[in-house]
Amino acid sequence: MYFFKKTMHAFSCIILLIFQKCVYFYIYKMENTINKEELFYKEINLILEKDGNRDIIENFIDENIKNGNIDTYFNYDYFVNKNKNHFIEKEIFFLEYLSDISYTKLEYNTRKEVLNSLAFKKWKNSDFNDSLNIISRFKKDFKDNDLANVINNYLEGLSKLDISKINEALYCFYDSLENLEKFNIENIDLWLNIKNNIGLVYVKQNDIDSALKIFLYNLSVLKKSKKQQGIAQSLMNVGNVYALKNMFSKAIKYSLKAQKILYDQGNIEYVERLNYNISDYYFNFSVEKEFQNLFFILFFLGKSNITFLVWGLGFGVWGL
């Protein structure tokens, strides 16, 4: 017994050490993937923590504008690939400052990008009405037939979808798709995101088959481009739709594939969230199987009873 306890204690220590190593590796990986933009917001954060002085931050931003650094912080992929919310309050502060006090100091295209970025961040922060107000300001200030215009329509669709203006959201998404073709703009990431949100609208409208068709097509396109984050998202969407169709074995299959990709990327938060969905699918799948087994049992018993009844009647007639 003493030897068993010692062995279990040693085993527990080894498991704990392995876990700590994994945690340290994950933290190291996160700390070493901070990009230039995140460092910028970290600097703002440090100023706030140290001085809490808005003027110092404004001077810091103005200095960056003067040096021509601000224009390098924006590109059109901002609205497609930015999923981190580490600095969202600082980003909103920064963008509001740019869209107000420093607006006239910025280049023409940067102004468009600032307004779209601010609308996007407001949407990410669930400030949907604020986002729509900024989008309206953009439409008033800019009439160009370009990618910024397409993105603005797309952002309008996102905010309207979240305030349950579903038909208006669908119109915005289809308008964005149409303009991508009309203006000969090639941006596969934006195109996929718009299509994905059209699929989500169809889910809300209970048009499950149309949603599944879109999500499966998106998945096939993403597999060719080998964009793992997008593939994981599409796999999750397909899994969710199969669950809505009560096809739980397929829901489990696609969700597990998504979970593996997310785990390989170190996206532990999403992996844990997906665990809830998968466990729910497994539960429903087991209930479904139980009902199927019950049906076959009842069918077999029913068939046996009918055979016995026919045999009994035949025996009775033969006896007569």
Side-chain angles (χ1 to χ4, degrees):
M1 191 67 181
Y2 174 78
F3 176 77
F4 177 77
K5 283 183 179 179
K6 283 290 184 184
T7 305
M8 289 305 294
H9 178 70
F11 181 74
S12 301
C13 290
I14 291 166
I15 294 295
L16 183 60
L17 283 169
I18 292 170
F19 177 75
Q20 284 177 336
K21 288 285 184 185
C22 291
V23 171
Y24 291 151
F25 174 76
Y26 179 70
I27 292 169
Y28 174 82
K29 186 178 176 185
M30 291 300 292
E31 286 178 347
N32 284 275
T33 53
I34 293 173
N35 59 27
K36 178 182 174 184
E37 178 192 329
E38 290 178 338
L39 288 171
F40 181 84
Y41 294 117
K42 274 201 162 187
E43 196 160 346
I44 292 177
N45 197 36
L46 286 170
I47 294 169
L48 276 175
E49 287 176 355
K50 187 178 177 183
D51 301 294
N53 192 326
R54 183 186 174 100
D55 292 335
I56 295 174
I57 297 174
E58 290 175 357
N59 290 335
F60 170 71
I61 291 170
D62 283 340
E63 193 64 34
N64 275 272
I65 291 171
K66 234 179 262 180
N67 296 335
N69 293 334
I70 295 301
D71 295 323
T72 66
Y73 286 106
F74 298 97
N75 62 68
Y76 288 121
D77 289 335
Y78 192 93
F79 321 98
V80 178
N81 298 319
K82 300 288 180 187
N83 294 313
K84 296 178 182 176
N85 291 324
H86 300 47
F87 306 100
I88 193 160
E89 291 178 4
K90 313 299 178 298
E91 289 175 311
I92 287 172
F93 169 84
F94 166 56
L95 292 165
E96 283 179 335
Y97 180 83
L98 290 179
S99 69
D100 183 16
I101 297 169
S102 300
Y103 193 62
T104 55
K105 301 175 188 175
L106 301 172
E107 292 181 3
Y108 180 78
N109 285 333
T110 305
R111 289 180 207 170
K112 290 194 283 186
E113 291 162 11
V114 164
L115 289 182
N116 271 343
S117 300
L118 182 55
F120 175 73
K121 286 297 173 183
K122 287 284 189 180
W123 168 75
K124 288 283 278 185
N125 207 38
S126 301
D127 300 327
F128 306 124
N129 289 321
D130 282 355
S131 179
L132 288 169
N133 288 334
I134 295 156
I135 288 163
S136 296
R137 178 183 168 186
F138 179 99
K139 291 183 187 301
K140 186 179 174 183
D141 288 357
F142 305 106
K143 306 294 181 184
D144 309 300
N145 294 332
D146 60 4
L147 184 55
N149 176 280
V150 174
I151 288 169
N152 193 258
N153 282 346
Y154 168 59
L155 293 172
E156 184 179 3
L158 290 177
S159 288
K160 286 188 172 177
L161 184 59
D162 281 311
I163 58 173
S164 298
K165 293 186 175 181
I166 296 173
N167 291 330
E168 290 180 37
L170 190 60
Y171 174 82
C172 290
F173 294 141
Y174 272 117
D175 190 46
S176 299
L177 276 184
E178 186 182 327
N179 287 335
L180 274 177
E181 292 179 12
K182 191 191 293 183
F183 306 151
N184 294 317
I185 298 167
E186 290 186 14
N187 190 313
I188 189 65
D189 288 329
L190 181 60
W191 185 87
L192 284 166
N193 273 270
I194 294 168
K195 291 283 283 184
N196 185 64
N197 279 282
I198 290 171
L200 294 175
V201 171
Y202 285 147
V203 169
K204 286 181 179 287
Q205 291 178 332
N206 208 30
D207 187 356
I208 306 302
D209 290 330
S210 295
L212 182 60
K213 188 177 177 181
I214 285 175
F215 292 146
L216 285 170
Y217 181 74
N218 279 8
L219 181 59
S220 67
V221 173
L222 283 160
K223 280 181 176 177
K224 289 175 186 174
S225 65
K226 298 182 180 178
K227 296 189 176 181
Q228 295 301 306
Q229 185 65 37
I231 291 171
Q233 183 62 56
S234 288
L235 287 167
M236 284 192 285
N237 287 337
V238 172
N240 289 338
V241 171
Y242 273 126
L244 291 172
K245 289 169 71 70
N246 294 323
M247 299 170 72
F248 296 108
S249 61
K250 287 191 173 183
I252 292 165
K253 174 186 167 184
Y254 281 93
S255 298
L256 286 173
K257 285 181 179 180
Q259 194 177 50
K260 184 181 183 306
I261 292 170
L262 292 168
Y263 182 80
D264 290 343
Q265 291 183 325
N267 201 333
I268 306 302
E269 182 184 351
Y270 272 95
V271 168
E272 289 175 352
R273 280 190 206 172
L274 203 49
N275 276 335
Y276 291 105
N277 287 1
I278 293 169
S279 61
D280 186 51
Y281 300 158
Y282 269 116
F283 173 77
N284 284 290
F285 180 64
S286 64
V287 170
E288 183 183 49
K289 293 299 287 183
E290 288 299 324
F291 273 113
Q292 285 178 358
N293 292 338
L294 182 62
F295 171 78
F296 285 124
I297 290 167
L298 290 173
F299 177 77
F300 176 76
L301 287 174
K303 188 175 179 182
S304 300
N305 287 338
I306 290 168
T307 304
F308 179 76
L309 182 63
V310 170
W311 180 81
L313 286 171
F315 184 79
V317 171
W318 183 260
L320 288 172

